[in-house]
Amino acid sequence: MAKVGRNQPCPCGSGKKYKQCCLAADEVAARAASDPQRRDPPPAMPVRVPRWMADVLAEDEELDQRLTKMSNDTVDLITDGELDEAERMCQRLLDEFPELPDGHIRLGQLFRARGEPKRAAQHLRLAAAACRALSPNPDMPSSLDAEADGLDPRT
C-alpha cells in the first residue's frame, strides 16, 4: 500500500486532510502492531454450551461454576499479559472439559495475543469442530471458522 502524505486527502473519503482525519489512529495501530506488549488483548468470545452439557452443568452447580471461573480467569490472564499462566489454564480447561470448545477458544485468544495467528487459527478450528460435534446449531462453528479464516486464510 502506498504511503499517504500528511497533507493529502484522507483515503477514508472524508474529504479532510489525512493529518486531520485518520493519521493519529493509523499511527496508534502501527505502534500496536509493531509492539506485542502494547497490542490490545483480544475480545473475549462467548462460549455457548450445548444443550446436553447445559443440563449436566445445571444439575452440578459446582461444575458449572468451576468451568465459568476457569474460562473467565483465562481471559483475565490474557488481558493482563500473563500469557504463560493463561496457557496453563487453557490446558486445564482442555483436561477437565475436553468435550467443550472453551479450552481451544481460549488458546485461540492466547495465540492471537502472542502474535501467532496460525496457531490461533488452528485452535479456533478445533473449537469449531467441537461445537459441531456437540450441537446441530451452525452459528458458533461458523463464527469460529470465520475468525480462524481471518487469522489464517485457507488456501
Side-chain angles (χ1 to χ4, degrees):
M1 182 175 160
K3 185 175 178 182
V4 180
R6 293 174 49 85
N7 290 314
Q8 291 180 328
C10 188
C12 77
S14 68
K16 296 179 181 179
K17 289 184 179 183
Y18 180 57
K19 68 182 178 185
Q20 295 170 334
C21 191
C22 294
L23 175 64
D26 288 350
E27 287 175 341
V28 169
R31 278 193 305 271
S34 67
D35 184 359
Q37 295 302 319
R38 290 186 170 188
R39 203 172 296 145
D40 289 334
M45 277 188 78
V47 176
R48 295 184 192 146
V49 178
R51 184 169 207 71
W52 68 268
M53 188 63 182
D55 293 340
V56 170
L57 293 173
E59 291 175 12
D60 190 342
E61 189 175 326
E62 183 180 320
L63 185 67
D64 182 37
Q65 289 175 350
R66 192 167 77 234
L67 169 65
T68 301
K69 181 168 178 17
M70 287 174 67
S71 190
N72 291 342
D73 286 352
T74 303
V75 172
D76 292 342
L77 289 167
I78 293 169
T79 301
D80 293 343
E82 297 182 37
L83 303 182
D84 291 337
E85 184 61 30
E87 188 170 4
R88 285 189 284 278
M89 187 68 80
C90 290
Q91 190 57 53
R92 281 187 55 208
L93 275 167
L94 289 174
D95 291 344
E96 293 186 35
F97 303 96
E99 67 281 351
L100 294 180
D102 295 54
H104 288 296
I105 290 172
R106 299 305 179 221
L107 279 167
Q109 292 175 304
L110 169 78
F111 288 119
R112 188 174 35 188
R114 282 186 175 161
E116 299 180 49
K118 288 184 185 292
R119 289 184 75 185
Q122 289 171 340
H123 284 284
L124 292 171
R125 289 186 179 110
L126 289 170
C131 288
R132 279 188 198 88
L134 296 171
S135 172
N137 184 342
D139 293 344
M140 185 68 163
S142 296
S143 173
L144 291 165
D145 281 332
E147 184 178 357
D149 290 343
L151 293 166
D152 183 33
R154 296 177 198 210
T155 55

